[in-house]
Every structure is written in structure tokens, then in C-alpha cells.
Amino acid sequence: MDIDTSDDKFTELDNTRTPNFVNQHLFLKTLLASEDASLYNYSEESYIKYFYKMDQGPIQQLIYKKYLNKFKKVRENNNFRQQLLSALKCEEVSESKLKNLEYKEKELMQLFKIHNSCKATSYITYERPMSEQNFFLSIRSGIQIASLTIAGDISSQDTLFDAESSFRIGLEAELILPFNNQKWSLTLEPTYYNYSSRKDKETFLTDSYREVDYTAIEIPLGVRYYLFFSSDLQVFFNAGFTYAIALDSEIGGTTGLRLLDIGSEFNSFLGLGLRVKDRYSFEICYQSSCDLLGDYFIRTSSYSSTSFVLGYRFL
């Protein structure tokens, strides 16, 4: 499929009005599906392009390009307006209506809705209905699988605790941001969890062991981005930072080994999830490693976890 790869950034604009077409394999996002007139888009970091299809015809790009004239002024090739005037044969889609049409999803969607309604053709849109509610609360519980390594511990050897699974539960507050079709939100989720493990060690003189009991309430602050496949199905991505507050947590072991207090630490997280019917969610969340023994000069540690979380939005 041909696509104009012209960049919209000012520093990347060229001085030709003609699109820079390149033939590529593209995965288009369907914005509006109809037997008469359908609308799609394709986005990269520096541009977004819209495509359309009439009846059983081929999918074609709607042409829009920014360029510089000989005086280095930004000009626009708005050929997409003429394309739509020729393709959308409807009394309500007039030249005057298209004269100031912007190359934006909202305006193009509205135009294609008008055309399909004019032709009495049913259509399906894949946009998120705008909700008046922008604040939600969810209860989120699941399983956390964590592991811990202590460096410079017993006899200057590392202690590698096994990966252990435990229950975690949290209360998530989510604030939907009022732009980009409500695809972005901020999240805050105080969460309780515990990690316990024991590691036996055999030394030359005697046997010894280390054990850890780590209980914490973490407070993650993140940003979430939604991909809407329908009004009942969304995929989301999370990223952010969390502060874990340790609760009477320590690393102990055989008599004679120093008792190590676990402190509170920052780390980062990434998540991938699925939301169904705006109520239920499932997420896989990975937290990067952090040092639970930051208060010690000689010993260091690496604690990381992966969580599988089920959520229910009750407000």
C-alpha cells in the first residue's frame, strides 16, 4: 500500500508540494467501518495519516502534506478535500462544507458519519464514547512473584533467595485526562504485599541459613494509555514509579549473622492490561529491581517482582 511518509515536524519539512509515496505493508486502525464509506488511520511518532475506502474499492490515503515555499513559509497541500468531494456523493457533503475541513480525526469521523447517514448505510465506529465521569476506583488483587539477591553477605558470598509467590491487594484511583479522546489517565494504587523466603547454606565449618520477611505497602504513581478496540474492550499500558514503605521487615538467619533491617525504596514499573466492559481488568505488571538494603555500605540487594492482577471497577 502506498503511504506518504512526509514528516510533519517543521525541521523535517521539504520544499515540494508532492507527497513522498512509499509502498509499505501497513496495519491500519479502523475508525469507521461501513459498506459504503470507511475511514482508517496510520500513525508514527512524527505523523498521522488517514485512509478511506468506498464500497468495494481499494483503500487510499487522504492526501495532506506540510511543506516550505521558497520564502521558508509553511504551506499545506490539502488535496484530501478534493478527494472527499469527489468520493462522497451526498447533498450534505458540499464544497462549502469541505472548504475549511481539518485533517483531524474528529472532523473526518463526523464527515463520514454524515455521508453514511445520508446514504442510509449502517456503520460501526471504533472510538471511545466520551464519558462524563473522569474518576474511578477499583479493587485489584492477585499474585505477586518476587525474588531477592543479597550481595556481600555470608562469608562474602551472595545469597540468592528463591522466587516466591504471595497474595497482593490494592485500591486503585484513576483520573481520566480530558484530551485525546480520553485515552490517557493518571493512576494511584496503594498496595499491600508480603515476600518471605529462606535459603540454607553449607559452609566449610558449619551450616547456616538466611531468611527474609518483607512486608510493605507500596504507593505507585503511574500514567496509563488506552487502545480502544470497541466500547467493551480496551488494551492499556502503564508506566510509572512506586515508593514501597517497609513494615517491620528484616533479613535474619543463623545466630552470629547480622540482622539486616529492610528500608523503604523507590523503583519503576511497567504494565500491560486488558479491560472488559469498563468493569473488569487483567494486568501483568513488572517492577524493576531495587536495593532494599540501601542503608548499608557493604551489603547491597536486588529485589524485583512480577504481578498478575485482577481488577473490578466499582466506582
Side-chain angles (χ1 to χ4, degrees):
M1 182 182 300
D2 289 337
I3 180 173
D4 173 25
T5 57
S6 303
D7 205 308
D8 286 342
K9 293 181 180 178
F10 178 80
T11 55
E12 301 296 329
L13 297 182
D14 59 32
N15 57 4
T16 61
R17 189 175 186 276
T18 306
N20 303 320
F21 282 115
V22 175
N23 189 269
Q24 296 180 351
H25 292 286
L26 303 176
F27 293 95
L28 302 181
K29 177 184 177 181
T30 303
L31 301 177
L32 183 148
S34 166
E35 293 182 357
D36 192 278
S38 300
L39 180 66
Y40 313 85
N41 75 4
Y42 178 81
S43 61
E44 290 284 355
E45 182 178 352
S46 56
Y47 64 76
I48 182 169
K49 308 294 182 181
Y50 294 94
F51 295 77
Y52 74 105
K53 182 171 75 73
M54 303 301 300
D55 300 319
Q56 301 302 315
I59 297 177
Q60 303 177 64
Q61 184 186 327
L62 290 168
I63 304 303
Y64 171 78
K65 179 185 176 182
K66 289 182 179 181
Y67 64 97
L68 299 176
N69 66 9
K70 62 181 180 180
F71 302 108
K72 301 300 180 182
K73 299 293 185 180
V74 177
R75 294 292 181 261
E76 297 178 345
N77 176 349
N78 290 303
N79 191 55
F80 74 97
R81 296 172 182 166
Q82 184 60 49
Q83 290 175 279
L84 294 173
L85 183 63
S86 300
L88 305 181
K89 301 298 184 181
C90 172
E91 293 181 359
E92 297 183 37
V93 182
S94 61
E95 185 173 354
S96 60
K97 192 175 189 66
L98 293 171
K99 184 177 180 180
N100 296 312
L101 183 71
E102 296 285 338
Y103 196 74
K104 295 181 179 178
E105 179 177 327
K106 183 177 180 181
E107 296 198 22
L108 292 172
M109 283 282 286
Q110 184 62 29
L111 187 70
F112 274 71
K113 289 177 182 179
I114 291 173
H115 172 82
N116 282 289
S117 297
C118 176
K119 295 294 184 179
T121 305
S122 61
Y123 59 85
I124 300 174
T125 61
Y126 295 87
E127 58 181 343
R128 177 183 173 88
M130 296 297 285
S131 172
E132 294 182 2
Q133 184 175 351
N134 62 0
F135 180 76
F136 299 93
L137 289 176
S138 301
I139 187 75
R140 287 163 44 95
S141 62
I143 299 297
Q144 177 172 280
I145 301 175
S147 60
L148 174 66
T149 299
I150 303 176
D153 195 33
I154 304 172
S155 301
S156 298
Q157 298 179 16
D158 294 348
T159 301
L160 282 70
F161 290 100
D162 294 332
E164 305 284 357
S165 60
S166 60
F167 178 74
R168 53 91 72 199
I169 188 167
L171 178 66
E172 179 189 82
E174 181 178 11
L175 178 66
I176 306 296
L177 301 178
F179 56 82
N180 197 210
N181 198 29
Q182 298 182 322
K183 292 182 179 180
W184 292 91
S185 68
L186 298 177
T187 61
L188 181 68
E189 185 189 359
T191 302
Y192 171 88
Y193 62 86
N194 171 266
Y195 171 77
S196 298
S197 186
R198 171 175 167 144
K199 192 70 173 181
D200 294 309
K201 280 180 165 287
E202 295 183 3
T203 62
F204 178 73
L205 296 177
T206 183
D207 294 340
S208 63
Y209 69 90
R210 269 298 198 191
E211 59 183 4
V212 55
D213 184 14
Y214 174 42
T215 302
I217 294 178
E218 65 178 18
I219 305 176
L221 177 63
V223 177
R224 177 172 292 162
Y225 177 76
Y226 285 98
L227 291 176
F228 302 111
F229 290 94
S230 71
S231 59
D232 291 333
L233 180 63
Q234 301 109 42
V235 170
F236 59 85
F237 304 90
N238 293 336
F241 295 91
T242 183
Y243 182 65
I245 303 172
L247 305 175
D248 295 327
S249 301
E250 61 186 19
I251 299 171
T254 308
T255 302
L257 292 178
R258 183 178 179 182
L259 187 67
L260 305 175
D261 292 324
I262 295 177
S264 302
E265 294 293 338
F266 284 96
N267 67 339
S268 60
F269 68 89
L270 292 172
L272 171 64
L274 183 72
R275 187 177 298 283
V276 180
K277 295 185 179 296
D278 268 346
R279 285 287 181 187
Y280 309 97
S281 65
F282 172 74
E283 181 185 352
I284 300 174
C285 183
Y286 169 75
Q287 290 195 359
S288 64
S289 62
C290 64
D291 186 3
L292 301 182
L293 302 177
D295 294 335
Y296 295 90
F297 177 72
I298 298 177
R299 294 177 176 86
T300 60
S301 68
S302 177
Y303 175 84
S304 61
S305 66
T306 300
S307 299
F308 301 87
V309 185
L310 292 174
Y312 174 73
R313 181 183 279 176
F314 62 90
L315 177 65

